[in-house]
Amino acid sequence: MNVIDLFAGAGGLSLGFRQEKFKVLLSTDIDIDCRESYLLNWPKSQYLCGDIREISPKILESHLGGKKVDIIVGGPPCKGFSTIGARASSNENKRKQFDERNILFRDFVKMVERISPKVFLFENVSGLLNFNNGFIFEEIKESFRKIGYKVEHHLLDAVHYGVPQHRKRVFIVGRKRSKAIGHPAIDVNWSKYMSCYKTVGEVIGDLAGLENNFPNHVPLNHGDINIRRYKLIPEGGRMPEDKLPPELYRRNFGNTFKRLDRNKPSLTMVPGHNAFPIHPWLHRSLTVREAARIQTFPDDVVFKGPRHSQCLQVGNAVPVNLARAWAIHLQNEL
């Protein structure tokens, strides 16, 4: 079956569908580094790089060559809806009002209306559910209903789908038939069988000591003060701010000052500026390659651009295994 991936980024969602033999006809994103990474890994792909508000459905159709589209997938930029973004803002109401990313979902809806696929799959952060008291979320669902789709939503944690990471995301899915689609099956009662989760140690342990020997496996050159701080963070814990000597204190310690536990799934991979959480036993932040493994990207997928861009490409992606679970599920439904 044929797929279009809108807001494709570096291709996590696309790759999950490719692994199940879907044909990705076209991908779009505004980020040129994402485009470079995507075409490096899948050189025969069509990738439209530009603002989706300036890519008309007619332009999109001209690249499809008359091919029928079965599924449109994508995740509009989510920082405007993110609870992490809200906490970081000094003026949340102003952020909500003026963040233009909050209305890009309308362009997704326009593309679905024009292309008319059998199914669409819309992915975003869990904060979308309650953003502006849920008004945006309800507007999104109603927009899809108005163009003829039966709409449902599912809040899923990637850890239940073979991803070594707790990452909750909301999926809005719709089809043109009355029958509900549901969501990918969870085969195990995960809350009861915690040992079934994949762990950080399982997926990145073999990379320790092999820094600079793999693509994107380049550690940050941390300063002495940060290394001294990292040494104080226990495995699975965060910076003990109340016990810091004065010379190590700073005003704010975010996600990048949390150390992962090798025996548990990771925290959500939130891309900071050139930084991810701290390695379970090494006194440095994760490399881009380690974060990519936690996002279940294969090692042969390489990320281009400066390091901060690589971090964003990996951190913003839909985990590949979760995307693949959706691909399997939709394949069965269709």
Side-chain angles (χ1 to χ4, degrees), residues 222-242:
H222 296 294
D224 179 64
I225 288 180
N226 270 342
I227 292 173
R228 288 173 63 193
R229 287 170 176 153
Y230 295 159
K231 289 179 177 179
L232 297 175
I233 304 175
E235 185 166 347
R238 60 178 303 148
M239 179 66 67
E241 298 179 43
D242 56 338

Side-chain angles (χ1 to χ4, degrees), residues 4 10 18 38 74 76 86 109 115 117 150 152 171 180-181 193 204 235 245 268 279 300:
I4 290 177
R18 288 176 189 275
Y38 198 105
V109 175
I115 304 299
K150 178 180 175 61
E152 57 195 91
F171 291 87
I181 288 181
Y193 301 107
I204 71 167
E235 185 166 347
T268 301
H279 193 282
D300 61 359

